[in-house]
Amino acid sequence: MKRLVGLWTLVALAGFTFLPWQAIEDGFFGFGWVAQFPDDRTASALLYALAFERPWLAGLLPPLALGAAALAFPREDRRFGLFLIVAGMTGLLYAFAQGFAIGILGLHWKWAIALFGEIETPQYGFGWGALAVLSAYLMMVSIGIAALGYFRGDAFIAGSVIVSSALILAFVFYPIMTMLVGAVTDEEGHLALGLFFARLFADDIWEVGCLVGAPRCGVMFNTVALGVLTGGISTLMGLAFALVVVRTRLPWRKGLRALTILPIITPPFVISLAIIVLFGRTGIVTWFLEAAFGIPPSRWIYGLPGVLISQLLSQIPVAFLVMIGVVEAISPSLEEASQTLGASRWQTFKTVTWPLLRPGLAAAFLLGFVESLSDFGNPLVLGGNFDVLSTKIFFAIVGAQHDPGRAAVLAILLLMLTLGAFWIQMRWLGKQSYVTVTGKGDSGLSAELPKTLKRVLYWTTIPWAAFTIVTYGIVIFGGFVKDIGRFDLEFTWRHYFDAFAVEMTDRGLFFSGSAWDSLQTTIEVSAISAPLTGAMGLLIAYLLARTRFAGQRAFEFMTMLSFAIPGTVVGVSYILAFNVPPLELTGTGLILVICFVFRNMPVGVRAGLAALAQIDKSLDEASFTLGARTATTVRRVVMPLLRPAIVATLVFSFVHAMTAVSAVIFLVSARHNMATAYIVGRVEAGEFALAIAYSTVLILVMALAILIIQLGVGSRQLGRRGQQGAAAMGGH
């Protein structure tokens, strides 16, 4: 521990003395400051304090000295741990206090101005030097807590828990709290409850006039209605597909599983483009109906019907993935017992099978409802006059009104709907037992479905599967014709050349296509965020599964909170929180990476917990017995056995970073544009064919990335004997 303290003290001194304290103009990962060092934007904290009129930064040194003084005590002395905790906490509090108090316009806390006088020297966001010093302070606290015997005295576990908690507080809780504060304050930062309630109860939010003949309803009613319809229909359709695959002998039933991968690797709003191509005023189906039956074109697809269809195409495969596991897990012996007692097939399905499906139904509905609330791309493309909270929030930020306070209020409503859905799910399931898989063998056969139900399932699933195939086929086909939206089917490569043209010049290859910059940024951000997401998620899973410490339940809740926050809310909260010092990240590529890491981290946690539940703790204990430390055990014993979870986490985080819209639409900039934001721009400009062509390229990139991840990570080797080895042993 003393070596660790000495190491982190040196890191802090290096950051304080040599690294730029403030964020630099060419980005957090830019190194142009080296040539400019030192000037007023690239100086270290030491140079700022001595030469650039920022003497308050010298206050960072006393906590470092106090931490170094802890080395004078033996490791077993409680003063060693106490000195480190006091030093680290003091340094962290002072660093953030001066960072929040002194901004671009100087000191802006009124009570501090009265105490210290005016300070007009500007101060920008934290940079590399601040990161080094703050990290050292945080590690001092972790080592000090471990030295006092907490976390089994293991510095690795203490550091992992405390650093993870600090990051979650900074990038999940802090943005949400900033958004809440922004909702109840005015533009000058004063408390304005009247303005808050005026925004909260505005007519365009709560109006229900459409129920009595008025042209439209409020955005709250629209959002809830769309969410309930999407969640309910997708759940029932997912159940129907699951029953067809598991409980019938339909010849093509196994092929239905292939449809579940499509929405995972497809940008969410691409379905909207296909819907417009099929059912728009100049769409293929619209043209056929007019030519064959004289039905005039209309705009019926723009509004609730179009948004609902597009969301169902995306959510039904997800609901199917949830429901098929539940249907397969139902014990056939329970249904056999029901029929043995004289129940008919329909009575057995209604009284035995259906109640056991409740956990899956609740989970599928919750996923569909929450995803509908946070969906941004489909309502933007197909919404027309049908406004929902996600699009209202977007236009409150980027529209002509530019009212961040109104956006914060709308985001709070969206968050309340999501949390309310989680609460209703828990209340509906209650504390009843739904266990159907035990350690006992079960050789029974699943009960036959009632014939009427089977016919209903066929007549709903087969047409929808065909419609899904046609819709996704349009996505691929539309990029190779001149203008599929106007039914001009002349073959062309022009859309791909416009987006991804490459020219040979005197200086070599020149990537002249308009989409190259956004594609490069998207791949870079996704490739950086995916391993960080996997590492953090699986580390937290290990801490939750293999250790016990005070506050563990609160820690687990913190890690899962971001899963319950819609992407639109995340985008708004990040804009409000990270647009000013000291955490000034807006417009950088780093904020995109951070957003994806903490949005997708809960999936890594859940995947890791599921995998660790299958790995006996005795393997860890054997490693400890042989003298390995926790970090070594995790690296050499646990991680190789977690390869399936690693693959799942990397694939999910990479694909979601490539296809995310609702959060990043607020965070992209001219310098760091994402592929999804670029495609949305092309859709708004009416360039549907170019958007479809770009989406096809994204699908191919994601499929290739999934293959690379699977080959790179590999599969775990459990060392089980094969059949030949077993036969040889039996012969002896």
Side-chain angles (χ1 to χ4, degrees):
M1 284 191 180
K2 286 195 170 185
R3 286 197 298 269
L4 284 176
V5 173
L7 174 63
W8 282 106
T9 302
L10 292 176
V11 169
L13 288 174
F16 184 84
T17 307
F18 301 110
L19 296 178
W21 179 260
Q22 297 182 153
I24 47 182
E25 294 181 359
D26 57 345
F28 201 86
F29 295 104
F31 292 94
W33 61 272
V34 177
Q36 305 170 15
F37 184 84
D39 61 14
D40 189 49
R41 284 303 306 270
T42 64
S44 65
L46 178 63
L47 288 175
Y48 275 133
L50 296 177
F52 293 106
E53 300 180 353
R54 293 173 177 84
W56 57 85
L57 292 179
L60 296 165
L61 283 176
L64 285 179
L66 183 62
L71 296 174
F73 300 103
R75 156 70 179 82
E76 296 77 13
D77 194 324
R78 288 183 58 84
R79 288 175 292 181
F80 174 77
L82 292 174
F83 266 57
L84 290 176
I85 294 173
V86 172
M89 291 300 300
T90 303
L92 288 171
L93 291 174
Y94 181 81
F96 279 106
Q98 62 86 30
F100 280 104
I102 306 173
I104 298 175
L105 300 178
L107 184 62
H108 52 81
W109 287 354
K110 291 185 177 180
W111 66 267
I113 294 175
L115 188 62
F116 300 106
E118 293 282 352
I119 297 178
E120 299 181 356
T121 305
Q123 186 168 247
Y124 301 95
F126 288 152
W128 279 108
L131 177 63
V133 174
L134 292 174
S135 299
Y137 286 146
L138 197 59
M139 292 309 301
M140 285 183 181
V141 174
S142 304
I143 297 169
I145 290 176
L148 294 180
Y150 298 99
F151 300 102
R152 300 183 312 193
D154 193 318
F156 174 80
I157 295 177
S160 299
V161 172
I162 291 172
V163 171
S164 299
S165 301
L167 291 174
I168 293 171
L169 287 174
F171 298 114
V172 178
F173 277 85
Y174 169 64
I176 294 299
M177 294 306 300
T178 303
M179 184 186 69
L180 295 176
V181 172
V184 297
T185 55
D186 56 21
E187 295 181 356
E188 299 179 356
H190 300 139
L191 183 64
L193 292 179
L195 180 60
F196 168 74
F197 287 111
R199 289 166 172 165
L200 180 62
F201 296 106
D203 291 339
D204 63 338
I205 297 178
W206 301 100
E207 178 64 40
V208 292
C210 63
L211 299 179
V212 292
R216 66 175 65 182
C217 271
V219 65
M220 192 70 172
F221 178 86
N222 291 346
T223 303
V224 174
L226 178 62
V228 171
L229 287 172
T230 301
I233 297 175
S234 64
T235 300
L236 293 177
M237 289 295 292
L239 174 61
F241 276 102
L243 290 173
V244 167
V245 171
V246 178
R247 296 293 182 92
T248 71
R249 299 180 180 180
L250 186 70
W252 318 286
R253 65 186 186 278
K254 293 185 178 179
L256 296 177
R257 292 177 180 264
L259 296 179
T260 61
I261 194 65
L262 292 176
I264 297 175
I265 62 174
T266 304
F269 48 83
V270 171
I271 302 300
S272 299
L273 301 182
I275 295 296
I276 293 175
V277 169
L278 289 171
F279 302 106
R281 287 183 61 85
T282 59
I284 298 173
V285 176
T286 304
W287 171 84
F288 173 78
L289 292 176
E290 183 180 20
F293 304 104
I295 300 176
S298 66
R299 296 179 57 86
W300 69 272
I301 200 66
Y302 296 98
L304 175 60
V307 179
L308 178 60
I309 292 173
S310 61
Q311 289 189 349
L312 289 176
L313 283 166
S314 300
Q315 290 305 313
I316 286 175
V318 178
F320 167 68
L321 288 175
V322 174
M323 294 307 306
I324 192 170
V326 178
V327 172
E328 289 176 337
I330 294 178
S331 174
S333 61
L334 298 176
E335 297 173 323
E336 284 186 350
S338 173
Q339 293 182 336
T340 301
L341 293 173
S344 66
R345 293 178 182 177
W346 181 252
Q347 288 175 319
T348 298
F349 181 82
K350 184 174 64 173
T351 60
V352 177
T353 307
W354 179 259
L356 292 173
L357 292 173
R358 289 181 70 175
L361 295 171
F365 178 85
L366 180 65
L367 283 173
F369 183 79
V370 171
E371 288 298 319
S372 174
L373 295 185
S374 60
D375 182 23
F376 169 79
N378 291 315
L380 181 68
V381 176
L382 286 170
N385 293 326
F386 184 79
D387 295 323
V388 294
L389 282 171
S390 59
T391 54
K392 276 284 190 180
I393 292 170
F394 174 73
F395 288 115
I397 292 290
V398 304
Q401 55 182 316
H402 185 64
D403 189 351
R406 174 175 166 80
V409 171
L410 294 173
I412 290 173
L413 290 175
L414 194 57
L415 180 61
M416 292 299 103
L417 287 176
T418 305
L419 297 178
F422 275 90
W423 180 80
I424 291 173
Q425 182 207 32
M426 290 188 294
R427 293 283 296 177
W428 187 60
L429 291 178
K431 297 182 179 180
Q432 300 180 39
S433 174
Y434 300 93
V435 174
T436 62
V437 179
T438 66
K440 299 180 181 179
D442 193 342
S443 58
L445 297 176
S446 299
E448 277 281 328
L449 294 175
K451 292 183 178 180
T452 303
L453 177 61
K454 194 181 297 185
R455 292 193 189 99
V456 172
L457 294 177
Y458 286 161
W459 280 104
T460 53
T461 57
I462 294 175
W464 186 264
F467 176 57
T468 302
I469 294 172
V470 170
T471 304
Y472 280 94
I474 290 293
V475 175
I476 299 175
F477 180 71
F480 293 97
V481 296
K482 190 172 182 179
D483 191 348
I484 194 172
R486 292 182 172 85
F487 208 56
D488 187 348
L489 304 182
E490 180 184 351
F491 180 82
T492 180
W493 290 95
R494 180 172 62 86
H495 310 304
Y496 290 93
F497 287 143
D498 289 344
F500 302 102
V502 180
E503 300 177 4
M504 179 62 72
T505 65
D506 296 338
R507 298 182 179 180
L509 292 178
F510 175 63
F511 295 85
S512 58
S514 59
W516 280 116
D517 288 341
S518 61
L519 180 62
Q520 179 183 351
T521 301
T522 303
I523 294 176
E524 289 178 352
V525 170
S526 302
I528 293 172
S529 61
L532 293 177
T533 304
M536 188 169 184
L538 295 175
L539 176 61
I540 291 173
Y542 178 83
L543 296 173
L544 293 174
R546 290 294 198 262
T547 61
R548 293 290 179 268
F549 51 87
Q552 188 167 2
R553 288 183 176 270
F555 179 67
E556 183 174 6
F557 169 77
M558 290 169 57
T559 62
M560 296 305 298
L561 179 64
S562 59
F563 177 75
I565 302 175
T568 311
V569 176
V570 173
V572 172
S573 64
Y574 270 42
I575 284 289
L576 297 176
F578 302 127
N579 201 36
V580 293
L583 300 177
E584 192 176 3
L585 301 173
T586 305
T588 67
L590 181 61
I591 195 172
L592 296 170
V593 173
I594 291 172
C595 175
F596 290 137
V597 168
F598 289 93
R599 281 286 292 157
N600 299 326
M601 178 192 64
V603 175
V605 175
R606 290 295 128 186
L609 287 173
L612 285 167
Q614 298 177 316
I615 301 174
D616 198 330
K617 292 183 180 180
S618 62
L619 297 174
D620 303 36
E621 295 168 356
S623 177
F624 295 142
T625 302
L626 294 173
R629 297 182 179 180
T630 303
T632 305
T633 301
V634 171
R635 178 172 54 88
R636 302 190 63 178
V637 177
V638 178
M639 295 304 291
L641 295 173
L642 288 179
R643 283 178 176 170
I646 294 173
V647 169
T649 304
L650 290 178
V651 168
F652 179 89
S653 56
F654 183 87
V655 168
H656 273 242
M658 292 283 291
T659 60
V661 181
S662 55
V664 300
I665 198 70
F666 299 95
L667 306 178
V668 295
S669 61
R671 184 175 180 181
H672 300 284
N673 195 18
M674 296 287 287
T676 50
Y678 176 91
I679 295 174
V680 168
R682 301 286 65 76
V683 172
E684 291 178 335
E687 300 176 2
F688 292 163
L690 179 59
I692 289 175
Y694 196 172
S695 300
T696 305
V697 172
L698 278 186
I699 293 173
L700 294 176
V701 170
M702 285 183 282
L704 179 61
I706 292 172
L707 179 61
I708 292 174
I709 290 172
Q710 290 177 335
L711 293 177
V713 176
S715 58
R716 61 184 175 187
Q717 303 295 324
L718 298 180
R720 291 172 177 163
R721 292 194 302 269
Q723 292 182 354
Q724 294 180 354
M729 291 293 291
H732 290 285

